[in-house]
Amino acid sequence: MENWFESFENTRVLVVGGAGFVGSNLVKLLLNKVSKVSITVIDNLMSAEIENLPIDHRLTFIKGSISDNKIVQQIKDEFDYVFHLATYHGNQSSIHNPLADHENNTLTTLKLLDWIKDFKQIKKVVYSSAGCSVAKKTFGDAVETTEEDPIELKQDSPYSMSKIFGEFYALYYFNQHRLPTVRARFQNVYGQGEVLGAGQWRGTPATVWRNVTPTFIYKALKGLPLPLENNGVASRDFIYVEDICRGLIACAAQGSAGEVYNLASGQETTIGEWANLINKLAGNEGNITHLPKRAWDNSGKRFGSTQKAKKELDFEVKMPIQEGLKLTIEWTKANLLFIEYCMSKHQGYLS
């Protein structure tokens, strides 16, 4: 366990989308755990801030999107590991602008994989997929989603479709060109470093209120009611960001090329339970506003199976939910001024 990091000594690593929430945490973890590593980050800062990245002589930053030929052509056959985390964040933005989602989600994956398909030095390419794309669309009792479950044609958003297209391409380039791709299916990631309002305006208030956890924590700290849709009956598999990053590293170091792995806690938590826990930890005295169900969201209840990742990667989560939320709340308090600065960039659009 944790000897995955030894595989990264004296290596060069490319992280596409490396300034974002998960990407920047991955970069920091690698820099903290591996002494001799060189990391290149490519990010267009559409949904990220450069301040997410540390200042370190082992880190090189390139601003741009790999959907741009001038950017992708800067990638040379010198990397041992590639992590592809770039995306068009997230469901509601993709519904608002499916073409932008295609350009910054599906197309980035295709451009990257096609460009590196004949590279000789690469040991592993890890593609970040999404558990929501595979989970059964139900508000009935959830059954753990396994890696072998069939993929439904009915999807809730262009974002979830793009994530599955990315899996198709990752598997295609493995089968056709022997590019050693591994697909990592994320569950609902939370933790330190997710900045409300990060990046550029993307057409909807979800640019600011980007995910449930940072939204709930910010509002709870401000003494505001938490917006709870559909009575909070939906459930998710929440996984702390450092655990996700450990899982990505495990996929690169130990995952089998051509395979897919859930990065999950295996624990189902309803959004109502999540809201009440955040209110309790933040001292918000159970403040809730009830809203109707979102018309587009049919991914009601879900959680991921952990069995394959545990067996083949020796990966399992470490962070208990309550402790992870405490750390996230403390980080939010400490970074409130920066978060509110990022939010303020979009106030003209929100009003």
Side-chain angles (χ1 to χ4, degrees):
M1 187 77 165
E2 303 298 297
N3 58 356
W4 313 309
F5 293 99
E6 296 174 3
S7 301
F8 288 84
E9 287 290 350
N10 299 300
T11 63
R12 297 179 66 90
V13 178
L14 173 65
V15 185
V16 181
F21 168 41
V22 175
S24 61
N25 274 282
L26 176 64
V27 168
K28 291 171 187 175
L29 185 60
L30 282 170
L31 291 173
N32 287 337
K33 293 287 188 178
V34 185
S35 58
K36 295 181 180 179
V37 65
S38 175
I39 301 176
T40 297
V41 166
I42 297 176
D43 200 302
N44 63 358
L45 303 181
M46 179 170 284
S47 58
E49 300 290 334
I50 190 63
E51 288 84 354
N52 288 353
L53 290 170
I55 297 173
D56 193 296
H57 71 277
R58 297 169 293 170
L59 176 62
T60 300
F61 176 70
I62 299 172
K63 183 179 179 181
S65 170
I66 51 172
S67 63
D68 182 347
N69 289 336
K70 293 179 181 178
I71 298 298
V72 76
Q73 289 169 8
Q74 294 183 47
I75 303 173
K76 307 302 180 185
D77 189 0
E78 59 187 8
F79 295 102
D80 301 284
Y81 296 99
V82 176
F83 294 93
H84 178 34
L85 301 169
T87 190
Y88 189 67
H89 188 282
N91 285 299
Q92 293 179 78
S93 295
S94 75
I95 290 169
H96 175 75
N97 193 338
L99 294 177
D101 178 83
H102 176 82
E103 181 179 352
N104 293 282
N105 208 344
T106 307
L107 187 58
T108 55
T109 302
L110 178 56
K111 283 245 184 173
L112 174 66
L113 297 181
D114 196 66
W115 179 254
I116 66 176
K117 66 181 184 295
D118 296 320
F119 282 12
K120 305 302 181 186
Q121 187 163 325
I122 292 176
K123 298 175 181 177
K124 211 69 61 68
V125 179
V126 180
Y127 168 71
S128 62
S129 187
C132 65
S133 300
V134 181
K136 187 174 179 60
K137 307 297 185 284
T138 179
F139 280 92
D141 292 338
V143 177
E144 65 177 8
T145 304
T146 73
E147 290 84 347
E148 287 73 38
D149 284 352
I151 296 168
E152 297 184 9
L153 288 177
K154 182 181 179 181
Q155 296 289 329
D156 285 340
S157 71
Y159 170 85
S160 67
M161 289 187 282
S162 294
K163 284 300 182 183
I164 285 300
F165 296 156
E167 287 207 35
F168 291 157
Y169 282 128
L171 192 56
Y172 166 78
Y173 278 94
F174 168 69
N175 289 326
Q176 188 73 16
H177 299 279
R178 310 315 295 173
L179 184 66
T181 61
V182 173
R183 292 159 285 144
R185 285 187 186 152
F186 287 21
Q187 303 301 315
N188 278 63
V189 189
Y190 74 99
Q192 304 173 72
E194 188 168 15
V195 179
L196 295 173
Q200 306 166 26
W201 176 250
R202 293 184 298 284
T204 78
T207 300
V208 173
W209 307 115
R210 46 195 297 132
N211 274 332
V212 63
T213 304
T215 295
F216 279 6
I217 288 176
Y218 178 81
K219 288 180 179 290
L221 290 175
K222 290 293 185 177
L224 300 172
L226 308 194
L228 194 63
E229 290 141 348
N230 199 22
N231 291 315
V233 299
S235 64
R236 297 292 185 263
D237 184 329
F238 290 99
I239 179 169
Y240 189 64
V241 66
E242 186 170 309
D243 281 327
I244 273 284
C245 294
R246 289 173 52 251
L248 288 168
I249 289 164
C251 284
Q254 203 163 313
S256 297
E259 285 294 334
V260 58
Y261 301 95
N262 284 336
L263 300 183
S265 72
Q267 179 178 345
E268 181 186 11
T269 304
T270 70
I271 304 302
E273 291 169 337
W274 199 242
N276 288 329
L277 181 55
I278 289 173
N279 267 339
K280 178 182 176 182
L281 294 174
N284 197 30
E285 299 181 355
N287 217 352
I288 298 287
T289 293
H290 289 277
L291 300 174
K293 173 186 174 293
R294 296 182 294 188
W296 58 267
D297 188 359
N298 298 299
S299 293
K301 295 187 176 184
R302 64 175 188 256
F303 66 102
S305 170
T306 62
Q307 296 174 27
K308 184 177 180 180
K310 185 174 182 179
K311 179 181 179 182
E312 298 187 17
L313 305 179
D314 198 22
F315 169 77
E316 53 188 337
V317 302
K318 285 185 170 182
M319 183 64 71
I321 279 177
Q322 187 154 320
E323 183 61 29
L325 278 176
K326 286 180 181 177
L327 290 171
T328 310
I329 289 169
E330 290 306 311
W331 177 88
T332 304
K333 289 179 181 177
N335 291 274
L336 205 54
L337 287 178
F338 178 62
I339 292 168
E340 292 185 330
Y341 160 72
C342 291
M343 294 170 70
S344 72
K345 294 187 299 180
H346 312 295
Q347 291 305 311
Y349 297 104
L350 287 171
S351 58

